[in-house]
């Protein structure tokens, strides 16, 4: 088995919202985007060991190695996440370098109750070789090989990453933050060319499980933009699965521009505009 190590923010034994069925979720640390609406902002960057969070920990779970690296003791951590609240680098002192075998040991006890494993983030595809090694190991393990292997991705990955993952990837949920490149930059700090290419590429390989559209009122919900988004997606696959998600403030950082939560009525109106451009299977959450 590969001895590659991945930088892992956290794992979740059971989730019913990270792909089809009941899934084990691996959250990798590090992301190519810096989204204003990010719900896991402490997964965006690796820790730089500045030490600013150490004194803020009420349970004494944080400390230093002799070389000045920040340490975390999960046995005394109260999981109150003061460290995440004070970190100015969108990071966490709790991310760990884990081997594939470490993750398999966490997956095994839950396996009888699982449909599959989803790797999320941060951005799952930022550690492509670790991802490939993890999925290889799951497929090669007699007790785990029935589990499907999915990624939850912002799609900002090069073609070479999808080629590397293709033999072991069963499906991908891809976030399209906005079809318009300029608005995408304003919302994420990055262009969306690779995301658009990834959606097209994954659909062509039959591996696009779902496209997710996050609605931010006043930012990416213009009627013409939603119509153009529906048209663009319908050109790729008019029957694709779409999830239209309303922005929720919980877990996000303070933002330089105000972000507003949509009402249920507004969200359904937005979903209806996109849905009318194809024969999509649409879920609104
Ligand atoms: S792509 Fe996802 S993890 Fe990365 S910054 Fe955006 S919302 Fe956060
Ligand atoms: S988690 Fe953030 S505040 Fe804490 S040491 Fe790392 S970079 Fe500094």
């Amino acid at each position: 088995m590969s001895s590659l190590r991945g930088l892992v923010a956290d794992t979740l034994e059971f989730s019913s919202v990270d792909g089809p069925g009941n899934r084990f979720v691996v959250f990798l640390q590090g992301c190519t985007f810096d989204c204003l609406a990010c719900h896991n902002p402490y997964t965006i960057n690796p820790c730089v060991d500045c030490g600013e969070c150490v004194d803020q920990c009420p349970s004494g779970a944080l400390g230093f190695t002799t070389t000045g690296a920040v340490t975390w003791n999960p046995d005394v951590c109260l999981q109150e996440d003061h460290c995440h609240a004070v970190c100015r680098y969108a990071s966490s002192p709790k991310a760990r370098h884990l081997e594939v075998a470490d993750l398999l040991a966490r997956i095994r006890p839950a396996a009888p109750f699982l449909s599959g494993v989803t790797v999320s983030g941060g951005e799952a595809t930022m550690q492509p070789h670790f991802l490939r090694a993890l999925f290889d190991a799951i497929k090669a393990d007699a007790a785990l090989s029935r589990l499907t292997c999915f990624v939850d991705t912002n799609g900002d990955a090069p073609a070479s990453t999808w080629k590397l993952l293709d033999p072991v990837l069963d499906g991908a949920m891809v976030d399209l933050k906005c079809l318009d490149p300029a608005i995408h930059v304003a919302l994420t700090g990055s262009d969306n060319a690779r995301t658009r290419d990834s959606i097209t590429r994954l659909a062509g390989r039959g591996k696009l499980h779902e496209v997710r559209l996050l609605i931010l009122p006043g930012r990416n919900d213009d009627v013409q933009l939603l119509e153009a988004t529906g048209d663009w997606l319908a050109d790729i696959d008019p029957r694709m699965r779409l999830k239209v998600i309303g922005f929720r403030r919980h877990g996000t950082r303070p933002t330089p521009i105000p972000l507003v939560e949509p009402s249920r009525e507004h969200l359904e109106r937005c979903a209806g505009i996109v849905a009318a451009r194809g024969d999509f299977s649409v879920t609104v959450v």
Side-chain angles (χ1 to χ4, degrees):
M1 188 181 301
S2 169
S3 60
L4 269 181
R5 298 198 309 163
L7 188 56
V8 178
D10 206 354
T11 57
L12 183 61
E13 203 171 22
F14 299 113
S15 168
S16 59
V17 296
D18 291 282
N22 199 16
R23 309 191 72 77
F24 188 98
V25 187
V26 180
F27 299 91
L28 297 185
Q29 186 80 18
C31 189
T32 52
F33 290 173
D34 187 5
C35 296
L36 297 178
C38 184
H39 285 93
N40 299 322
Y42 54 87
T43 66
I44 292 176
N45 295 309
C47 172
V48 297
D49 292 317
C50 73
E52 289 174 13
C53 58
V54 172
D55 287 345
Q56 305 296 320
C57 176
S59 56
L62 301 179
F64 295 98
T65 65
T66 51
T67 56
V70 170
T71 60
W72 171 60
N73 182 349
D75 295 334
V76 298
C77 178
L78 298 174
Q79 301 294 353
E80 290 174 332
D81 291 342
H82 293 279
C83 48
H84 295 168
V86 300
C87 181
R88 292 183 289 140
Y89 300 92
S91 188
S92 167
K94 303 186 200 176
R96 285 288 164 274
H97 283 101
L98 298 180
E99 292 190 6
V100 167
D102 299 324
L103 287 176
L104 293 199
R106 294 187 188 192
I107 295 168
R108 273 203 182 89
F113 313 101
L114 293 171
S115 318
V117 174
T118 295
V119 179
S120 181
E123 172 49 34
T125 61
M126 269 190 82
Q127 300 179 60
H129 295 283
F130 180 70
L131 194 50
R132 172 70 198 253
L134 173 63
F135 288 171
D136 270 338
I138 291 170
K139 303 282 183 195
D141 188 298
L144 304 179
S145 60
R146 66 172 188 82
L147 301 179
T148 55
C149 295
F150 275 58
V151 291
D152 183 343
T153 173
N154 65 22
D156 188 34
S160 57
T161 290
W162 298 120
K163 194 172 172 194
L164 175 73
L165 297 177
D166 191 69
V168 288
L169 180 69
D170 295 305
M173 286 76 69
V174 186
D175 294 331
L176 178 60
K177 314 285 183 184
C178 187
L179 185 68
D180 181 282
I183 299 173
H184 194 277
V185 170
L187 295 177
T188 71
S190 296
D191 180 65
N192 65 6
R194 292 207 300 196
T195 300
R196 287 183 285 130
D197 183 62
S198 295
I199 290 171
T200 307
R201 189 176 299 276
L202 286 162
R205 297 288 301 154
K207 300 198 176 189
L208 183 66
H209 177 71
E210 177 178 271
V211 170
R212 296 171 170 178
L213 306 172
L214 178 71
I215 301 297
L216 292 153
R219 304 291 166 198
N220 64 0
D221 61 344
D222 175 84
V223 171
Q224 284 183 328
L225 177 58
L226 292 174
E227 288 174 346
T229 303
D231 288 342
W232 184 77
L233 293 170
D235 275 350
I236 296 168
D237 176 4
R239 299 175 66 82
M240 76 167 63
R241 187 181 285 108
L242 299 181
K243 188 173 278 181
V244 180
I245 304 170
F247 167 68
R248 299 285 176 266
R249 184 164 290 101
H250 179 75
T252 61
R253 298 167 288 182
T255 51
I257 55 172
L259 298 180
V260 180
E261 295 187 2
S263 66
R264 183 72 193 181
E265 294 71 28
H266 183 67
L267 196 55
E268 286 181 356
R269 202 158 46 243
C270 292
I273 293 168
V274 178
R277 315 305 279 195
D279 191 19
F280 308 117
S281 166
V282 182
T283 311
V284 182
V285 294

